[in-house]
Amino acid sequence: MQAPSWVFVFSVALLGSVVLPDTARAYRPVVIVHGILDSALALFHLRNAILEAHPGTEVYMVAMFQDMKSAWPMWTQVLGFGNAIKNISDIHKDQGINIIGYSQGGLISRVCG
């Protein structure tokens, strides 16, 4: 006699939630890029929230073109942020990274990422 199909689905769901080690639930590193007329420190609360919700996550705050320097030409910033993001990405090439860009930082991140 064959078991009903729901038994198989329940067993797989239960097994998947119990057997996975903590390392399988690790989060990708996060790169935070600030917006115009801002600095990396302005988004420190976001970094803290990420670390509180997902302890052990590596969070990078790119401290370039801060405050008035964030009004420099966008392509200059894209080249600078792009190099910084690539360096971080190269460190984590096996797992990848997540990028959070606030305001102008989002535009720059889309071009760099």
Side-chain angles (χ1 to χ4, degrees):
M1 180 171 175
Q2 191 174 14
S5 60
W6 65 268
V7 172
F8 174 73
V9 172
F10 178 77
S11 299
V12 170
L14 183 62
L15 186 65
S17 64
V18 174
V19 174
L20 289 176
D22 285 339
T23 55
R25 295 188 190 111
Y27 296 98
R28 288 181 176 173
V30 177
V31 178
I32 300 174
V33 181
H34 66 83
I36 193 166
L37 301 178
D38 240 342
S39 66
L41 287 178
L43 295 176
F44 211 73
H45 66 282
L46 176 59
R47 174 196 171 274
N48 291 342
I50 292 168
L51 291 175
E52 185 177 322
H54 308 288
T57 301
E58 290 188 67
V59 180
Y60 296 88
M61 303 193 59
V62 183
M64 302 178 75
F65 302 101
Q66 301 187 90
D67 303 314
M68 290 305 292
K69 290 181 181 176
S70 66
W72 287 9
M74 286 284 282
W75 285 114
T76 303
Q77 295 182 60
V78 165
L79 293 173
F81 278 110
N83 287 332
I85 291 171
K86 183 182 180 328
N87 290 339
I88 296 167
S89 182
D90 287 347
I91 294 169
H92 303 285
K93 64 178 83 171
D94 291 338
Q95 67 189 116
I97 61 172
N98 290 319
I99 303 173
I100 299 174
Y102 179 75
S103 188
Q104 178 174 294
L107 297 174
I108 291 169
S109 297
R110 288 192 70 169
V111 175
C112 297

